[in-house]
Amino acid sequence: MRTDLLGDPLDGLDEALDAVDAFDRVLVAGLLRPGPEQADGLAALVDAVAGTPLATRVAEAADEAAAGAAGEDHFVALAAARTALMGSAHDALTARVADATGRPSAGPTPPGAAGEEPAAHVLAAARAWLCDLARAGWRGIDHDLVGGAAPVVSALLPDPSLRRQATLLDGFAAELAASCPGVTLDRVPVRRWADLWSRALLLTLPGADRATAVSTATGRLLPLGVDLQEHATAVQAQVHAVFEPADGTAPRLVRAAVSAPKPDTVVGAGPWQLLRPRMSLLAAAGEGRSMELDAMPVTAGGDLLWDDGRARTGEPADPFATARVILSTATDPVTAPLDRHPSRIAVPVLLEGYAAEHPDGGTPALTVAGHRLAVDTDRIPAAGPLTPEAVLASRACLGLLRWDAGEFVIQPLAVETTVRKKTVAVHAGAWAGGTADKTGARAEKAATDAVAVLRERAGKLLRT
C-alpha cells in the first residue's frame, strides 16, 4: 500500500469544503430574515457549483433565500448543491485511496427498477418541516418547532418503504430537542446538523430512496473484521468481508450489518448479546470461520441483505491470511449516490512493517515507509480485547482507512503482535460470538446479568 499518496493534497478539496462550511453557517442563523452574512454564504455555494448542471437552479434559489422568500423547491436545490459538493469530495478521496491500495473498482451500476412510490403527502409533510427548520436556523429552534416532527415520524414508521426516512427524522429531531432552545447553545454541531438536514430533505423527493440494483451472491464469504458502533439507545455491528463468487469471477469487498435498540445501561460486552440472535455471521467472524452463501441478496454498493437461511458456517479462515492473499485483488464496491460523503469512507486495508508512536498528549500513529498515519483509537470498542496498547505493540494491522478532520486515519479491526515469542492475533470483534477468554467471560457474565434484569423488568411492565 502506497501510504505516501495519502498525504498529498487534493486539488479543489479545500475549496469545496470551504463552500460547504460557508453554506452551513447560513443555517445557524436561519433564512427567515437573512442578513449580509447569509447572502455571502449563499453566494459561496453558487460560485462552487457554477458551470455545473445545478448552476441556474441554485443561483435562483440563492437569490430567493437571500431575500427571505425561499420555498420548498429552493431549499431542495440548495440541499442538492451542498450534497453534490460533499459527493465530489468523497469521489476525490476515494480515488486517492484506490491509487494507494491499487485495488480495482467496480463499474457503474444501473438504478433499481421503478416501483410504487410511497405516499407523497407524508413526504411532503416531512419536507415542509425541514424547510421550517432552515428558516428558523439552529439558533432559532424551540420545542414547538422540533415537536412538529413527531406526527410526521408517526406517519412514516408504519410503511416499511419509508422506514429509512422515519429513522433519520426521528434521530435528527431527538438531537434538536435535546439542544432546545437553540439560542442558549454554547456550541452548534454545524456540519453534522447540516449533513442531516440536507440528506433528510433529499430523501423526501420521489424516487430519491430508490435502491440500486440488487443481485444474489453465491460463494464463500471470508470475514476481515467487525466494526461495532454504539449509541446510548442503539448499537450496530458491521462485518467487513471478502466474497469469493462460486462462478470463479473476481473476489469483491462486501459488508453485512445488523442493528438493535439498546438501553444505555447495556455496556461492555452487552451489545453482542443483543446482536447475536439477529445474525449468524457474528459468531463466524468471532470464531474466525468462513461462511458459504447461497443466493444471498446483495446491493451494487456491496451491502449484503443478510438472511440466516441463506448462509451456513464454513471452514476456519484467518482474516490476516485472507488480507495477505486476496485483499489486494478484491474489487471495491460502488457507493450509492446519496451515500457519497467523506464520513462514509471505510476501506479495509492491511498495514505491515510500520513503527508505532504515541507522543505525550498526542494522537497515536503508525509510520509506514516514512509516512505517518494516525490511529483512530476512539473507534476501538470496549466490547472486545483489542486496546490502543495492543495496536502500538503490534507488527501488522488490519483496519479501515477513514478520512476525518482533514486527514486519513486508520481504525484498527485486528492486529498481530508477539506474546512469548509467538504471533498472536487480537480482534476487536473477538467476543462477537462469545468467548472463553477470562476477561471476555467476565465481561460476558456482567452483561448477561444486566440484560436479564432489564428483560425481567420489561416483562413485569408488559404484564401489568
Side-chain angles (χ1 to χ4, degrees), residues 31-370:
L31 288 163
L32 186 61
R33 288 180 290 274
E37 291 184 1
Q38 282 94 330
D40 291 342
L42 292 166
L45 188 68
V46 172
D47 292 342
V49 297
T52 73
L54 290 171
T56 301
R57 294 191 64 179
V58 173
E60 177 187 346
D63 288 342
E64 294 295 322
E72 288 186 5
D73 289 345
H74 301 125
F75 284 120
V76 168
L78 296 174
R82 184 190 185 279
T83 301
L85 288 175
M86 296 303 281
S88 67
H90 168 277
D91 292 349
L93 291 165
T94 52
R96 178 57 55 84
V97 171
D99 291 340
T101 62
R103 288 201 297 261
S105 297
T109 57
E116 183 179 352
E117 294 293 347
H121 66 284
V122 180
L123 292 176
R127 191 160 53 249
W129 178 74
L130 290 163
C131 290
D132 287 342
L133 280 183
R135 294 186 181 98
W138 312 134
R139 290 294 185 191
I141 59 173
D142 56 29
H143 288 290
D144 288 340
L145 174 59
V146 175
V152 178
V153 172
S154 297
L156 291 170
L157 277 173
D159 188 342
S161 66
L162 297 174
R163 198 68 50 79
R164 184 186 191 190
Q165 291 92 328
T167 302
L168 177 56
L169 282 179
D170 191 32
F172 187 23
E175 284 194 26
L176 295 174
S179 303
C180 285
V183 70
T184 64
L185 283 175
D186 293 331
R187 186 182 67 86
V188 176
V190 179
R191 179 170 289 183
R192 175 172 174 78
W193 283 359
D195 279 340
L196 294 172
W197 175 81
S198 57
R199 183 176 179 82
L201 189 57
L202 293 183
L203 283 173
T204 65
L205 300 178
D209 196 31
R210 186 179 301 161
T212 55
V214 176
S215 58
T216 57
T218 299
R220 185 170 65 156
L221 188 70
L222 302 166
L224 293 170
V226 184
D227 177 18
L228 185 68
Q229 303 162 12
E230 289 189 68
H231 187 271
T233 59
V235 61
Q236 174 178 272
Q238 189 173 60
V239 181
H240 291 261
V242 174
F243 172 65
E244 288 185 312
D247 60 10
T249 53
R252 52 178 166 154
L253 288 170
V254 295
R255 301 172 296 265
V258 59
S259 58
K262 179 185 78 70
D264 58 6
T265 53
V266 175
V267 296
W272 297 125
Q273 299 187 11
L274 303 177
L275 296 171
R276 277 179 208 139
R278 299 168 181 257
M279 191 167 72
S280 59
L281 177 58
L282 290 178
E287 296 169 4
R289 305 184 75 88
S290 65
M291 294 204 82
E292 299 294 332
L293 307 186
D294 181 16
M296 182 73 73
V298 57
T299 69
D303 291 299
L304 296 168
L305 308 181
W306 193 262
D307 178 358
D308 273 348
R310 298 180 181 274
R312 60 181 177 84
T313 305
E315 299 296 321
D318 176 27
F320 281 95
T322 298
R324 291 182 175 112
V325 176
I326 306 174
L327 184 56
S328 62
T329 62
T331 301
D332 285 324
V334 175
T335 305
L338 284 184
D339 291 341
R340 293 164 55 245
H341 190 288
S343 67
R344 297 294 295 264
I345 296 173
V347 181
V349 295
L350 175 66
L351 301 177
E352 296 182 285
Y354 50 76
E357 60 179 76
H358 191 181
D360 292 339
T363 302
L366 305 179
T367 301
V368 187

